[in-house]
Amino acid sequence: MGETIAIMNQKGGCGKTTTAVNLATSLAFLGKSVLVVDMDPQGNATTSFGIEKTEVEDTIYSVLMGDVNVKKATVSTFIQNLFIIPSNISLSGAGVELSKQKNYHIVLKDVLEDVIPLFDYILIDLPPSLGVLTVNALIASDSVLIPIQAEYYALEGVADLINTIKLVEDRLKSPTPIKGILLTLFDKRTRLSKEVQHELKNFFDGKENLFKTIIPRNITLAEAPSHGKPCLIYDSSSVGSKAYLNLAKEVLVLDGIGE
């Protein structure tokens, strides 16, 4: 049985999609079967694998609305062991439509049941919000990975995010532990990045897991999506590619299946 990980933060620009795409690719590179669920109406994870989101018929929206089976919406990428359930702008209205349904918060959990046994990891890329889609992802996930950028105000709102996760746990009786906090967009040349790193260590010391791996601010990570490729495929020698490969190895160690 695979592990489902929600990648979330209510702040935009912190590297959620970059992490979902490149961690998934790195896990697949290490021999794990991986599914990416694009739960963001912007569909950036979808286009990062070279899929034209405007031409996709079967999306996660179709699955959530019961119009298509989850297996039919699951498509292979050009990367071995790596699959995706794509998304596009049609998903933007799903929150309102789902909220009208009974037990709306468990729809994603229910539809993913048929594919969970097929994968070692399912990574859910979420929009920068704490709405119905995010609640569904929390219920459907075994754990949460939180990317935090090394920038001013980086910690602002993180406590609220953690409280929201705890609130979902308490009210909906669905525990979703935090797998780790990931520092992203780190620039070792700046004092600010180092200060944020220091604050993170103090803030999460003894509370949550802070990944040892740090994702640098890297031009290759920024360029790769425009070419429809994860960074590891676009340029395997870049520091961004190596960082996400290290993160994947760290995840496997946490799960007791790596060295």
Side-chain angles (χ1 to χ4, degrees):
M1 187 68 72
E3 180 182 0
T4 303
I5 305 172
I7 300 175
M8 66 178 291
N9 192 324
Q10 80 274 26
K11 284 180 62 66
C14 63
K16 287 187 303 298
T17 299
T18 299
T19 296
V21 168
N22 290 290
L23 175 57
T25 302
S26 297
L27 287 168
F29 180 80
L30 294 173
K32 302 302 175 184
S33 56
V34 185
L35 172 65
V36 174
V37 181
D38 191 348
M39 285 284 283
D40 190 338
Q42 296 182 81
N44 290 336
T46 298
T47 57
S48 292
F49 289 107
I51 299 171
E52 180 49 63
K53 60 186 177 184
T54 59
E55 298 177 2
V56 175
E57 293 184 7
D58 298 328
T59 66
I60 187 62
Y61 173 78
S62 312
V63 175
L64 292 172
M65 295 300 108
D67 297 330
V68 66
N69 181 274
V70 65
K71 290 182 178 180
K72 188 174 187 296
T74 300
V75 296
S76 60
T77 69
F78 57 86
I79 299 167
Q80 187 177 4
N81 301 324
L82 184 51
F83 298 76
I84 186 171
I85 303 178
S87 174
N88 55 32
I89 196 62
S90 63
L91 185 62
S92 59
V96 175
E97 295 180 59
L98 284 175
S99 63
K100 297 176 183 177
Q101 298 183 26
K102 184 180 180 181
N103 295 325
Y104 70 89
H105 53 285
I106 62 171
V107 175
L108 182 62
K109 178 181 176 66
D110 286 346
V111 299
L112 288 181
E113 283 185 354
D114 287 343
V115 292
I116 287 176
L118 306 178
F119 299 98
D120 296 310
Y121 288 95
I122 296 177
L123 304 185
I124 305 177
D125 183 35
L126 287 164
S129 66
L130 298 175
V132 172
L133 296 178
T134 298
V135 171
N136 262 266
L138 284 174
I139 298 297
S141 298
D142 300 305
S143 61
V144 180
L145 190 157
I146 302 175
I148 298 177
Q149 73 273 36
E151 295 178 356
Y152 195 57
Y153 293 137
L155 295 179
E156 189 175 279
V158 174
D160 290 338
L161 176 60
I162 293 174
N163 287 337
T164 298
I165 294 171
K166 303 295 185 187
L167 188 64
V168 171
E169 289 182 358
D170 295 340
R171 291 194 176 181
L172 300 177
K173 308 302 180 186
S174 179
T176 313
I178 295 175
K179 191 170 192 70
I181 312 295
L182 177 67
L183 183 60
T184 63
L185 298 170
F186 184 83
D187 188 342
K188 64 181 180 181
R189 299 170 299 179
T190 68
R191 179 185 299 176
L192 179 59
S193 283
K194 295 175 182 177
E195 288 176 352
V196 172
Q197 182 183 21
H198 178 73
E199 290 297 320
L200 270 177
K201 287 181 178 179
N202 289 337
F203 189 83
F204 292 109
D205 183 38
K207 298 177 183 178
E208 314 291 351
N209 178 52
L210 185 62
F211 283 111
K212 295 178 182 177
T213 301
I214 294 174
I215 307 301
R217 184 179 291 276
N218 176 239
I219 188 63
T220 309
L221 283 173
E223 288 177 347
S226 66
H227 295 270
K229 297 177 181 179
C231 194
L232 191 64
I233 304 300
Y234 179 64
D235 182 359
S236 61
S237 65
S238 75
V239 293
S241 296
K242 293 176 181 178
Y244 275 108
L245 196 56
N246 286 336
L247 176 64
K249 292 176 181 177
E250 189 173 352
V251 167
L252 295 180
V253 169
L254 283 174
D255 292 339
I257 52 177
E259 297 180 358

